[in-house]
Amino acid sequence: MKKLSRSQFLQVSVMLFGLFFGAGNLIFPPLLGNQAGTFTFISLLAFCVTAVLFPVMGAIVVGKTEGLTNLSNRVSPLFSVVFTTAIYLSIGPGLGIPRAGSVPFEMAIAPYVPEGFNMNLARFLYTLVFFSLALVICLKPNKLVKRVGKYLTPSLLLMIVFMFLRVMTMDKNIAAPVGEYNNSPVVKGFLEGYNTMDAVAALNFGFVIAQAIKRFGIKDKNEVTNYTIKAGFVAGAVLFLVYAMLASVGMIGSSKLAGAENGAVILTYAVKSVFGNFGIVLLAAIFTLACLTTCVGLITSGGEYFESLFNHKLSYRKWVLVWTLFSFLMANFGLNRLLEFSVPLLTVIYPVALVLIVMGISHDFVNYSKESYMFAAVVSVFLPLVEVLNKSFGISLGFLTRLVESLPLYKEGLSWLLPTFFVLIIVTAVFKLLGTFKESEKVQERY
């Protein structure tokens, strides 16, 4: 039976980390360190539950079920098509890919564009080069592991480690925690990790990793699953270490940068303090590489899904071209308008994505019925939908809206959490009992 070499396995694992690690992953941890101060470690652990554990579990589940379509099909075929398509559109050209091109420019390039130079032209030129590189990489999926796992992501990791080691030589000025980090550091850290949306992205990337493993000649399904699980653990460990480094960068200067607006401000201050003007170049390269690897994963997974969805009527290469061109245009001309619709959509589908991940990872132990998947999916979609209609669009559904507002964790945006798992436990128990009764009746009929 064919096995992956150590080099091939490491490339796959590092590629998975690179797919996860985008601009948001760079920005959130330094801000956490800045605001959590002396509570950084406990907040970081909670952050990593939703920013590391759930994404890794998601990638493993999708790899194990051989695609998000198969996982969501446990609810129903119609749900599978609607949910999977919504995931790929919202996290892809609807939000993730255009933002991957514009965020590094806004964070690390725009503040240093010379006065008098047209900002729109600067953005256009930057995103043109960015999406051209992404297109070249995506057009040959057989070389994806080598390009992302062997070259791009290791370069990104080396730059982050280099930055971290130099920044840690700064004077340590650690402040006391502020705001919600002072009152409930665990809950706040958990919710910040939730905001990375990586668990949704994992449902795209798990299939990319499984396909990459198969391209190395691994045909046995169990072996593909085993390698996906191992790659997930390695990628998760690297994610945790990088988050710890970035949170530390924010923590050590938390007194000097009290009230910083975002993680980009914190990183900019840190690199300028130790590197001078070279630090800006380094930070721009880190942001660009982080977003490029994520962008490549989103384009690749979307191209493969839509080629399959439409029965290969449009080739993978053409889908990649369409997604890249659309994202390039949106990054320059329509990102804000796009966010008005894609962010609420993500808010609705993110909870059910988490539920499917938890059920998928525990399915072999519990053996959930189709009814369990269906009821859990309905509750975890309906409650966030009512909440989003009220909060984002000002649409009240009367009694239903008031009911959702009265649920625990509504203010935190987690009103769906307890009801969903309560329904899941009850429905699973009921259908397990019904199954036991039916088996007993069959035995009685035999005798």
Side-chain angles (χ1 to χ4, degrees):
M1 185 182 296
K2 185 174 176 57
K3 302 283 187 179
L4 290 182
S5 68
R6 181 176 298 179
S7 174
Q8 290 171 334
F9 172 71
L10 285 176
Q11 287 177 42
V12 170
S13 302
V14 171
M15 181 179 80
L16 179 56
F17 162 82
L19 298 183
F20 280 133
F21 197 80
N25 308 76
L26 265 170
I27 294 170
F28 283 120
L31 188 61
L32 180 150
N34 175 271
Q35 296 180 346
T38 53
F39 284 176
T40 294
F41 182 71
I42 186 79
S43 299
L44 178 66
L45 290 179
F47 174 87
C48 287
V49 171
T50 42
V52 176
L53 184 60
F54 272 104
V56 169
M57 286 168 55
I60 291 172
V61 168
V62 171
K64 187 177 180 180
T65 56
E66 298 187 298
L68 176 56
T69 301
N70 292 333
L71 174 61
S72 53
N73 197 49
R74 292 176 177 176
V75 178
S76 76
L78 176 61
F79 174 85
S80 178
V81 173
V82 174
F83 173 70
T84 306
T85 302
I87 286 278
Y88 278 104
L89 287 177
S90 59
I91 203 71
L95 173 62
I97 303 173
R99 193 171 66 173
S102 64
V103 165
F105 175 81
E106 299 294 341
M107 293 295 182
I109 306 294
Y112 307 99
V113 172
E115 288 186 20
F117 194 90
N118 188 294
M119 189 64 69
N120 290 330
L121 177 59
R123 181 186 295 105
F124 181 89
L125 294 174
Y126 176 87
T127 53
L128 178 64
V129 173
F130 180 92
F131 283 111
S132 296
L133 282 173
L135 179 63
V136 169
I137 296 170
C138 292
L139 284 175
K140 294 186 177 180
N142 289 334
K143 295 184 177 181
L144 190 64
V145 174
K146 187 174 183 180
R147 288 173 172 174
V148 176
K150 191 174 182 179
Y151 298 118
L152 293 179
T153 305
S155 300
L156 170 64
L157 283 169
L158 286 173
M159 286 190 286
I160 291 175
V161 171
F162 177 56
M163 175 188 71
F164 168 74
L165 292 176
R166 287 294 303 273
V167 168
M168 291 305 289
T169 62
M170 295 171 54
D171 293 335
K172 312 300 188 292
N173 295 280
I174 304 174
V178 297
E180 293 178 46
Y181 281 108
N182 184 44
N183 301 323
S184 51
V186 173
V187 174
K188 179 62 175 175
F190 181 90
L191 292 174
E192 286 302 305
Y194 179 95
N195 290 335
T196 65
M197 295 290 180
D198 273 349
V200 173
L203 298 178
N204 295 17
F205 297 151
F207 185 66
V208 175
I209 293 301
Q211 291 297 104
I213 293 170
K214 290 177 182 178
R215 290 189 181 105
F216 280 120
I218 308 299
K219 304 299 182 184
D220 183 75
K221 180 181 176 181
N222 291 329
E223 280 297 296
V224 172
T225 299
N226 288 335
Y227 278 123
T228 303
I229 292 172
K230 292 176 182 177
F233 283 129
V234 172
V238 177
L239 268 174
F240 176 78
L241 291 174
V242 172
Y243 286 151
M245 287 189 283
L246 292 172
S248 298
V249 170
M251 179 185 67
I252 64 170
S254 51
S255 288
K256 289 184 177 180
L257 281 178
E261 293 181 5
N262 55 59
V265 172
I266 297 165
L267 291 175
T268 300
Y269 169 80
V271 297
K272 285 192 73 174
S273 298
V274 295
F275 292 109
N277 290 332
F278 170 72
I280 304 305
V281 177
L282 176 64
L283 192 59
I286 290 174
F287 266 99
T288 299
L289 273 180
C291 290
L292 182 62
T293 53
T294 300
C295 183
V296 164
L298 292 172
I299 293 174
T300 301
S301 59
E304 290 179 336
Y305 170 71
F306 278 94
E307 181 191 22
S308 174
L309 181 65
F310 290 97
N311 296 318
H312 306 276
K313 291 180 180 178
L314 203 62
S315 69
Y316 165 80
R317 293 173 68 89
K318 289 179 180 177
W319 275 112
V320 164
L321 185 60
V322 168
W323 274 44
T324 306
L325 180 59
F326 177 83
S327 299
F328 166 69
L329 294 174
M330 288 299 102
N332 282 276
F333 306 111
L335 184 58
N336 290 336
R337 187 66 176 167
L338 202 61
L339 293 178
E340 293 178 9
F341 297 96
S342 57
V343 171
L345 177 60
L346 269 174
T347 305
V348 172
I349 62 179
Y350 197 79
V352 70
L354 293 181
V355 171
L356 287 178
I357 289 172
V358 171
M359 295 182 70
I361 208 76
S362 59
H363 182 84
D364 290 343
F365 302 101
V366 182
N367 192 25
Y368 297 105
S369 65
K370 197 170 189 66
E371 290 79 9
S372 294
Y373 278 98
M374 189 176 299
F375 276 92
V378 168
V379 175
S380 58
V381 169
F382 179 73
L383 294 181
L385 177 61
V386 174
E387 187 173 328
V388 165
L389 288 175
N390 186 35
K391 288 183 176 180
S392 299
F393 302 104
I395 300 174
S396 175
L397 300 180
F399 169 75
L400 290 175
T401 300
R402 292 192 296 273
L403 175 64
V404 173
E405 288 177 335
S406 68
L407 293 172
L409 302 176
Y410 173 80
K411 291 182 179 179
E412 291 82 2
L414 297 172
S415 61
W416 58 273
L417 186 60
L418 296 179
T420 299
F421 285 101
F422 175 77
V423 168
L424 175 60
I425 291 170
I426 295 300
V427 173
T428 301
V430 167
F431 279 90
K432 289 286 183 185
L433 287 173
L434 290 176
T436 302
F437 289 145
K438 289 180 180 178
E439 288 297 323
S440 298
E441 289 176 356
K442 288 181 181 178
V443 171
Q444 291 176 1
E445 288 176 1
R446 290 175 188 170
Y447 297 98

